[in-house]
């Protein structure tokens, strides 16, 4: 039996997407160049119309999305194994199950758009352009890590990507600040500020909605609702679990977060809304995480194993996309299998590099405090220990 949280996710996702028709077929059994699908219905708040449920995807894009999601999944599996073997220490929050959220949104953004998220950031770090080896090296605290091994799981950064933030909900007002800077500079870019259902009840989130709407900031607020805030199911924590309506005067919509194409279309709609000067928009993506809140949480004390197994079996974003691509001849089963093997080899190689990479020397800890600052004396862990920054 499914728990209340999983039933909520199911209620938000009214029907499983199915193939509608195929375009550019060269023959019944031939590979096609593109195909059109129908997504599940979007729930709307203060919107007269929402994203189109009819979505078209090219073969190249579809295979790209599949590879990206599979890469995140394999990378997170590797991170979990490294944590269990004590190669990774400290906090570690895995993104397994939620891959369609990051990949779908990134597909609708440009490299010039900005993203800021919470501490479940590995997947987003990858979609923003950081190779898996630099993500895994960051997790193992090594020199070639994206933050030189100084940030770890929760503090990764990239081009127009601001992390990775460890304080629950704190990234939401920061995202509005980024959007304010974009508007101030006259840019046509947008900022995506993501948070989880566990952060959705924080006062700073509602304060941010207010100022963003007051100033019509180009900010897309995204609630990644995976059903649980740490170990608490959403209906036990929120009087209203319709998070896409919680912006009140900020329009919102809810999308199937297990369908990469539905997420892409929702984000495309939101980005066009913001770029046209209409102000912020809120997206709730109904998704699910397979692991616990973090690696210290087994994830089975507050939900039955059967719930996780059923979600993997019936709603997995990677398996779902694979089946859809094969069913309409966008790809063959052999091609998909080869992608799986290539990704496995890539991540296995990245793991070995991340383990073999040297750690930073102690004196490096005094650096990277300020940007373009002349060398200065930095106190160490006690009043008698000093080092020089550079």
């Amino acid at each position: 039996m499914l728990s209340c949280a999983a039933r909520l996710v199911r209620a938000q996702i009214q029907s499983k997407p199915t193939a509608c028709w195929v375009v550019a077929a060269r023959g019944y059994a031939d590979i096609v160049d593109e195909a059109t699908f129908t997504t599940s219905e979007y729930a709307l708040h203060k919107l007269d119309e929402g994203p189109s449920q009819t979505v078209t995807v090219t073969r190249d894009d579809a295979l790209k999305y599949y590879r990206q999601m599979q890469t995140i999944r394999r990378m997170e599996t590797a991170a979990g194994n490294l944590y269990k073997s004590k190669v990774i220490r400290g906090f570690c929050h895995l993104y397994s199950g939620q891959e369609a959220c990051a990949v779908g949104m990134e597909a609708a953004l440009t490299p010039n758009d900005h993203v800021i998220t919470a501490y479940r950031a590995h997947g987003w770090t990858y979609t923003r352009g950081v190779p898996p080896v630099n993500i895994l090296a960051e997790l193992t605290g090594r020199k070639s890590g994206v933050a030189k091994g100084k940030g770890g799981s929760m503090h990764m950064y990239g081009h127009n990507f601001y992390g990775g933030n460890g304080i629950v909900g704190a990234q939401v007002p920061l995202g509005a600040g980024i959007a304010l800077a974009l508007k101030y500079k006259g840019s046509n870019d947008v900022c995506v500020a993501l948070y989880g259902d566990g952060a959705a009840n924080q006062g700073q989130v509602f304060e941010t909605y207010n100022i963003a709407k007051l100033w019509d900031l180009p900010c897309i607020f995204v609630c990644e609702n995976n059903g649980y805030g740490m170990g608490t199911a959403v209906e036990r924590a929120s009087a209203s679990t319709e998070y896409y309506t919680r912006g009140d005067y900020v329009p919102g919509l809810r999308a199937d977060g297990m369908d990469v194409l539905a997420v892409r279309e929702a984000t495309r709609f939101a980005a066009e809304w913001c770029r046209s000067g209409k102000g912020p928009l809120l997206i709730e993506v109904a998704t699910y995480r397979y692991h616990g809140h973090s690696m210290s949480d087994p994830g089975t004390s507050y939900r039955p194993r059967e719930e996780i197994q059923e979600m993997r079996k019936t709603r997995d974003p990677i398996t779902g996309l694979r089946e859809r691509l094969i069913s309409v001849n966008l790809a063959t089963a052999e091609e998909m299998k080869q992608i799986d093997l290539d990704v496995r080899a890539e991540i296995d190689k990245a793991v070995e590099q991340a383990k073999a990479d040297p750690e930073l020397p102690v004196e490096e800890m005094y650096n990277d405090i300020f940007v373009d600052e002349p060398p200065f004396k930095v106190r160490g862990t006690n009043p008698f220990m000093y080092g020089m920054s550079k």
Side-chain angles (χ1 to χ4, degrees), residues 63-311:
L63 292 176
K64 175 184 176 183
Y65 304 156
Y66 180 81
R67 180 181 289 273
Q68 288 178 323
M69 290 197 292
Q70 192 67 276
T71 298
I72 295 172
R73 179 71 58 84
R74 291 297 308 177
M75 183 174 67
E76 294 297 63
T77 299
N81 292 334
L82 288 170
Y83 191 95
K84 291 172 184 175
S85 61
K86 298 184 179 181
V87 178
I88 294 175
R89 301 295 185 112
F91 295 103
C92 187
H93 304 81
L94 302 182
Y95 205 62
S96 302
Q98 300 182 212
E99 296 89 353
C101 300
V103 172
M105 287 184 220
E106 190 66 59
L109 300 174
T110 75
N112 292 327
D113 290 323
H114 301 248
V115 175
I116 186 168
T117 188
Y119 38 75
R120 204 176 303 280
H122 308 162
W124 270 105
T125 306
Y126 168 71
T127 61
R128 287 270 88 185
V130 179
V133 63
N134 301 115
I135 296 172
L136 291 168
E138 185 62 34
L139 289 170
T140 57
R142 305 307 171 102
K143 190 174 182 179
S144 61
V146 64
K148 299 183 180 179
K150 298 180 180 183
S153 175
M154 298 193 293
H155 304 288
M156 298 185 183
Y157 310 93
H159 176 65
N160 290 342
F161 177 58
Y162 305 84
N165 290 267
I167 305 301
V168 176
Q171 72 279 4
V172 180
L174 295 179
I178 296 168
L180 174 61
L182 295 174
K183 183 169 184 176
Y184 183 81
K185 294 178 179 180
S187 169
N188 195 41
D189 303 319
V190 302
C191 179
V192 177
L194 301 105
Y195 57 97
D197 52 274
N201 296 321
Q202 292 225 346
Q204 60 185 331
V205 173
F206 293 93
E207 293 174 19
T208 305
Y209 292 158
N210 178 67
I211 202 71
K213 181 57 182 174
L214 189 65
W215 293 343
D216 279 337
L217 302 181
C219 192
I220 305 173
F221 298 108
V222 179
C223 177
E224 291 185 287
N225 178 9
N226 60 27
Y228 297 91
M230 297 187 72
T232 304
V234 291
E235 66 272 9
R236 294 184 59 219
S238 299
S240 169
T241 57
E242 294 184 332
Y243 296 103
Y244 68 102
T245 70
R246 301 275 289 272
D248 191 8
Y249 29 75
V250 176
L253 63 94
R254 182 173 60 209
D256 180 354
M258 305 300 269
D259 177 1
V260 67
L261 299 181
V263 175
R264 185 192 69 176
E265 293 309 303
T267 308
R268 181 176 292 166
F269 176 88
E272 291 174 357
W273 176 277
C274 290
R275 295 189 211 282
S276 66
K278 296 178 181 178
L281 193 139
L282 197 162
I283 300 176
E284 175 190 349
V285 284
T287 184
Y288 193 83
R289 58 169 164 81
Y290 293 152
H291 298 284
H293 171 72
S294 69
M295 285 301 297
S296 61
D297 167 23
T300 54
S301 59
Y302 47 86
R303 57 180 179 175
R305 295 181 186 274
E306 292 76 15
E307 174 184 308
I308 305 170
Q309 292 168 357
E310 182 164 348
M311 293 299 287

Side-chain angles (χ1 to χ4, degrees), residues 46-59:
K46 292 190 180 299
L47 290 170
D48 295 329
E49 59 180 4
S52 173
Q53 287 183 250
T54 302
V55 299
T56 299
V57 63
T58 66
R59 167 178 157 81

